[in-house]
Amino acid sequence: MRRSQTYFSVKSSPYRLSLTLIFFLLVACSSTPPPSKQKGNSYTVYGKRYYPLSSSAGFTQRGLASWYGRKFHGRLTSNGERYDMYGRTAAHKTLPFNTYVQVKNLQNGKKIVVRINDRGPFVRGRIIDLTFTAASELGMAEDGVVPVQIEALGYARKKRQAGKLVRVYEKPASYELGDFTIQVGAFTERENALRLHASLSRKYRKATIKVFDQGSQRFYRVRVGQYSRLNEAEAAAERLQEKDFPNAFAVASE
């Protein structure tokens, strides 16, 4: 496709997830592996076990979508792939990597399917960060941030139908089980992060600081708690919001 220059008019969010260059990320593949079947109809993808939901409703969410472009083009995403601003991928704070998601622009009704391969956006109220191409196809590249609804479709596999290979989705899967924590704040000054970390450590378990370098700027992200269920993490984040941390939100642990 022709590479439009419209992305220069929109600022990408600076709150991208830091990347840990460990071995399994270096060998991560950009294609989705077929889930390996286990007892009880559960299945494993990239070493993590997922369990079918009793309801076929799956995971849906409403909030704001944003997009990120040239500044991140070619950099490693959180699952070890190279970010391609002309692809159809996205960042989400908690959905498992390689989950396919349908995104609907609530302003114009346009829809697109993207694959989760990154973490973010780390701004309260925003639920998904899209590539430039995905944002363009949704008609939101100029606006930058728009209200959307997302629906998790599941993991993709190829299936032959009427003599043709088509993409089908393995759903439903549980997006509630995993490793989650709560991000309470992000700072460019290390001392501010250390003060908040010390305060949280006196009240809560598992307070940590995650360092993320974005070019010439470094961010210190303060996180607290450890949860195995997303609803527990979200409930804890709401309690923190009611106290002194209005921007707290749940995120998948790194």
Side-chain angles (χ1 to χ4, degrees):
M1 62 173 286
R2 185 173 64 86
R3 299 188 176 186
S4 169
Q5 299 299 312
T6 56
Y7 54 83
F8 287 119
S9 63
V10 181
K11 291 184 178 180
S12 299
S13 168
Y15 304 103
R16 308 299 316 142
L17 185 65
S18 58
L19 302 174
T20 305
L21 300 181
I22 56 179
F23 175 76
F24 78 90
L25 290 182
L26 295 177
V27 298
C29 177
S30 61
S31 60
T32 305
S36 56
K37 295 296 181 181
Q38 304 289 340
K39 291 183 179 180
N41 294 323
S42 64
Y43 56 87
T44 302
V45 178
Y46 288 133
K48 185 179 288 290
R49 180 75 63 84
Y50 298 97
Y51 300 86
L53 295 172
S54 58
S55 167
S56 61
F59 180 99
T60 60
Q61 190 177 24
R62 284 195 175 202
L64 298 176
S66 50
W67 66 274
Y68 56 125
R70 172 170 288 186
K71 183 187 298 185
F72 300 95
H73 187 64
R75 295 188 183 183
L76 289 177
T77 62
S78 297
N79 77 340
E81 299 176 18
R82 294 285 177 183
Y83 172 66
D84 179 6
M85 62 183 287
Y86 302 107
R88 292 177 179 82
T89 58
H92 190 274
K93 289 189 280 288
T94 59
L95 283 172
F97 291 137
N98 293 305
T99 302
Y100 280 80
V101 176
Q102 178 178 268
V103 185
K104 179 180 180 180
N105 185 334
L106 295 178
Q107 290 184 338
N108 59 22
K110 292 183 177 180
K111 299 178 182 179
I112 190 174
V113 174
V114 295
R115 179 174 57 85
I116 302 300
N117 73 341
D118 206 359
R119 290 296 178 217
F122 295 111
V123 178
R124 188 180 178 187
R126 298 188 189 183
I127 61 172
I128 196 166
D129 233 354
L130 302 167
T131 61
F132 168 68
T133 289
S136 297
E137 293 182 5
L138 279 180
M140 58 163 286
E142 291 290 344
D143 294 331
V145 179
V146 298
V148 297
Q149 176 174 299
I150 67 174
E151 177 186 356
L153 303 176
Y155 296 100
R157 62 166 67 232
K158 293 293 182 67
K159 182 178 181 180
R160 188 169 295 278
Q161 292 181 352
K164 296 181 179 180
L165 282 177
V166 296
R167 179 190 294 170
V168 296
Y169 300 103
E170 188 85 14
K171 71 172 291 190
S174 173
Y175 306 109
E176 293 292 324
L177 302 179
D179 298 314
F180 305 100
T181 185
I182 302 168
Q183 182 161 310
V184 179
F187 304 89
T188 56
E189 296 293 333
R190 181 172 179 268
E191 292 303 317
N192 292 336
L194 288 173
R195 279 195 292 270
L196 178 57
H197 176 266
S199 175
L200 291 171
S201 296
R202 290 191 291 268
K203 301 177 182 178
Y204 307 99
R205 296 182 300 169
K206 299 288 185 180
T208 61
I209 297 177
K210 293 290 183 179
V211 181
F212 169 59
D213 288 308
Q214 181 186 304
S216 60
Q217 196 163 30
R218 173 171 289 184
F219 292 90
Y220 300 89
R221 293 171 176 159
V222 183
R223 296 174 175 178
V224 66
Q226 185 174 14
Y227 306 88
S228 60
R229 293 181 177 274
L230 178 58
N231 61 348
E232 294 174 352
E234 290 178 334
E238 289 180 2
R239 291 193 293 271
L240 286 170
Q241 291 168 11
E242 293 171 355
K243 296 180 179 179
D244 298 322
F245 308 103
N247 294 317
F249 52 76
V251 62
S253 297
E254 301 159 38

